[in-house]
Amino acid sequence: MTTIDDVDLFGEAFGGFRSVGVARRRHPAVLTVLALLAAAGVVGAGFVWARDNARGPVVEHVDARTLLPVLATAQGADDVVDRAEIGSLAVEPASTRFLAETGSGRHFAAISASGDLCVLTVPSGDLATLGCVRSVVGAQLASGDVWLAAEGGPAPAADDGWHEAGPNLWVRG
């Protein structure tokens, strides 16, 4: 008769796992160090790529007088804006050029004291407003219900209620 002691049930059931826990050949420390350095290089390159792409394309600042044909002309009597109407707005008074008159006032193209392209709106009996954008090729500026676009720049969508009011100038409403 066979007793339980004579049968090695555990050995038969789990005999294939005898090699578990037996150390195999270790990787040299040099390979580990090289793998860590490679991983650090990939992560560093990723950070540099992300930083450079977050800046976007570099756009060169140009003279605002080259962006609108009207700014290249001499200032006429209609182009002059009274100093009292300009107030403390940082605009070069000699740069104002009349574009159009709408229900919201008289609109002028102008150049700010820092050289930016601006649209100056002088409403009747109210303070003037000024909106400016960096002077770059294709510049466009939406200031309230007025849109000024540099020569060759995009026009606003007519579906959004914009209509042309003068050279390079669109109004909404």
Side-chain angles (χ1 to χ4, degrees):
M1 188 171 208
T2 307
T3 63
I4 293 192
D5 291 335
D6 294 337
V7 180
D8 186 13
L9 293 177
F10 184 80
E12 288 180 26
F14 299 104
F17 296 105
R18 294 205 189 276
S19 64
V20 174
V22 175
R24 293 197 173 140
R25 182 173 177 248
R26 290 186 167 189
H27 295 293
V30 174
L31 288 178
T32 303
V33 169
L34 289 176
L36 289 175
L37 287 175
V42 169
V43 169
F47 278 122
V48 169
W49 177 84
R51 182 196 65 202
D52 290 344
N53 283 335
R55 291 182 189 159
V58 176
V59 181
E60 189 174 326
H61 193 270
V62 297
D63 184 5
R65 288 168 181 78
T66 64
L67 297 176
L68 297 175
V70 70
L71 290 174
T73 64
Q75 188 179 39
D78 291 342
D79 299 326
V80 177
V81 180
D82 186 20
R83 279 244 188 231
E85 291 177 308
I86 294 176
S88 64
L89 298 175
V91 66
E92 295 179 15
S95 72
T96 58
R97 300 294 186 275
F98 179 74
L99 296 175
E101 186 167 357
T102 66
S104 59
R106 295 177 300 149
H107 306 286
F108 297 85
I111 300 173
S112 74
S114 61
D116 293 336
L117 177 65
C118 301
V119 63
L120 175 70
T121 301
V122 183
S124 179
D126 202 355
L127 296 174
T129 60
L130 182 69
C132 298
V133 67
R134 285 192 66 216
S135 296
V136 296
V137 175
Q140 57 191 9
L141 167 66
S143 178
D145 288 338
V146 178
W147 179 296
L148 181 68
E151 192 67 23
D159 295 345
D160 293 335
W162 294 99
H163 63 278
E164 193 167 1
N168 304 87
L169 181 74
W170 290 263
V171 293
R172 183 171 32 202

